[in-house]
Amino acid sequence: MELRQLEYFVAVAEEQSFTRAAERVHISQSGVSAQIRQLEREVGADLFDRSARTATLTVAGKAALEHARVALAAAGAVGQAVGEVTDLIRGRLTVGMVIGCTVTPLFDALASFHRAHSGVEVALLEDNSDRLVEGVRGGSIDLALIGCATATPDGLEALTIISERLVVTVPADHPLAKKRRVALRDLDAYPIVCMPVGTGLRTVFDQACAARGLRPAIALQASAADAIADLAARGLAVGILSASMATRYTDRLVARTVDDLETPALLALVWKNAHGPAVRELLVHSRRALSG
């Protein structure tokens, strides 16, 4: 008894036709008939009643059908198990990271994954969040750490790592530093330095301004928090950063929360629903490393 015979048997039973079953398994009808005859000889009973226009199961055929399905499922599970082990022995993962990211625990996750599965080749690339999301959706990127304005981008699963408000950063002698309360409208009088379009931080800022009919002057753009802080410290523009980013520059910048900029900027790990064993393993390491 061969697996292909069971496959043909199940196909005929489900299609109730040797012709349609042959089309389904991509061989000739005579080939399907011959294999079913061979199977019937081996089990010692007719499996189909061929007297009518449709192929209907005999009592013996009905008794055999579920067992045939179980056998095919078991064979498929063997192949899947071997495939998963193979993927973890000599697979490949492409991991994306938003430009200017300072969350080094992701590197810890990659290192621990590499120690556990040294045969898996890991490629790391930087890009803006919008392009990383499209890469994950399209399958060219397996997993990505992105900045975003919503917890879960459409069509993806996500694990939120950081959720925090944006702040303005200015030197101590700047007029905004002397204000106890700052609103988005207060920024209209000053040039802004912010991250580029396509990053989560910029998306949150732009959406908040648009909702209030404001068009701030984005005079400068920089992908790294250090660059934004350096430009703001020199008085060239008001810097827009997340609260945790701003804490690194308290020696030269004053941070003020914007009262009407309440939507948080998120840093999240995103992946597709149908991910393979290597991605599942990397998620385990990532959750462990990023949980702090």
Side-chain angles (χ1 to χ4, degrees):
M1 188 180 301
E2 300 178 4
L3 284 175
R4 62 173 179 168
Q5 293 172 337
L6 297 180
E7 180 188 1
Y8 300 164
F9 166 57
V10 170
V12 175
E14 292 178 348
E15 299 293 340
Q16 295 187 305
S17 166
F18 282 85
T19 301
R20 289 195 297 271
E23 293 172 353
R24 171 169 151 180
V25 299
H26 306 295
I27 69 167
S28 66
Q29 180 179 337
S30 60
V32 170
S33 297
Q35 290 298 321
I36 296 296
R37 285 295 187 192
Q38 178 63 32
L39 179 61
E40 288 174 329
R41 284 194 291 271
E42 291 185 23
V43 299
D46 288 340
L47 300 175
F48 292 100
D49 181 356
R50 296 169 174 81
S51 62
R53 294 188 56 145
T54 58
T56 56
L57 289 167
T58 62
V59 174
K62 291 177 181 177
L65 180 59
E66 191 55 36
H67 293 288
R69 286 174 171 154
V70 170
L72 290 172
V78 170
Q80 181 179 351
V82 172
E84 292 194 356
V85 170
T86 301
D87 285 345
L88 286 174
I89 294 174
R90 54 176 185 273
R92 175 183 172 85
L93 280 178
T94 300
V95 180
M97 184 176 68
V98 63
I99 293 172
C101 180
T102 58
V103 181
T104 54
L106 177 63
F107 303 146
D108 297 331
L110 293 174
S112 64
F113 174 84
H114 178 68
R115 287 192 294 269
H117 306 288
S118 58
V120 178
E121 179 185 352
V122 178
L124 180 66
L125 62 89
E126 283 188 307
D127 209 332
N128 75 38
S129 295
D130 286 352
R131 285 194 289 267
L132 291 176
V133 167
E134 290 309 308
V136 174
R137 285 195 182 112
S140 61
I141 299 173
D142 297 295
L143 195 74
L145 188 64
I146 66 164
C148 54
T150 56
T152 307
D154 291 343
L156 300 180
E157 293 188 53
L159 171 66
T160 298
I161 308 303
I162 296 173
S163 174
E164 58 186 4
R165 293 179 67 172
L166 302 187
V167 298
V168 296
T169 55
V170 293
D173 59 354
H174 193 281
L176 290 178
K178 297 175 174 56
K179 293 175 70 71
R180 297 186 63 182
R181 302 176 70 88
V182 175
L184 278 171
R185 191 168 297 279
D186 296 329
L187 306 184
D188 271 354
Y190 308 101
I192 302 294
V193 55
C194 193
M195 288 192 173
V197 173
T199 59
L201 190 151
R202 178 64 177 273
T203 299
V204 170
F205 182 69
D206 285 350
Q207 288 179 353
C209 291
R212 288 159 183 79
L214 302 175
R215 293 186 177 181
I218 308 296
L220 301 165
Q221 296 185 114
S223 298
D226 285 348
I228 292 175
D230 285 344
L231 292 165
R234 286 167 171 78
L236 293 172
V238 172
I240 305 296
L241 293 171
S242 70
S244 64
M245 288 176 177
T247 60
R248 294 157 48 196
Y249 311 110
T250 54
D251 59 328
R252 52 200 166 115
L253 290 172
V254 173
R256 290 286 182 263
T257 300
V258 183
D259 285 351
D260 52 350
L261 210 173
E262 298 176 350
T263 301
L266 307 177
L267 193 68
L269 202 62
V270 296
W271 65 95
K272 288 185 74 171
N273 289 323
H275 50 76
V279 177
R280 287 199 299 271
E281 281 294 303
L282 181 54
L283 276 171
V284 171
H285 290 271
S286 298
R287 288 176 187 273
R288 188 179 302 131
L290 294 165
S291 62

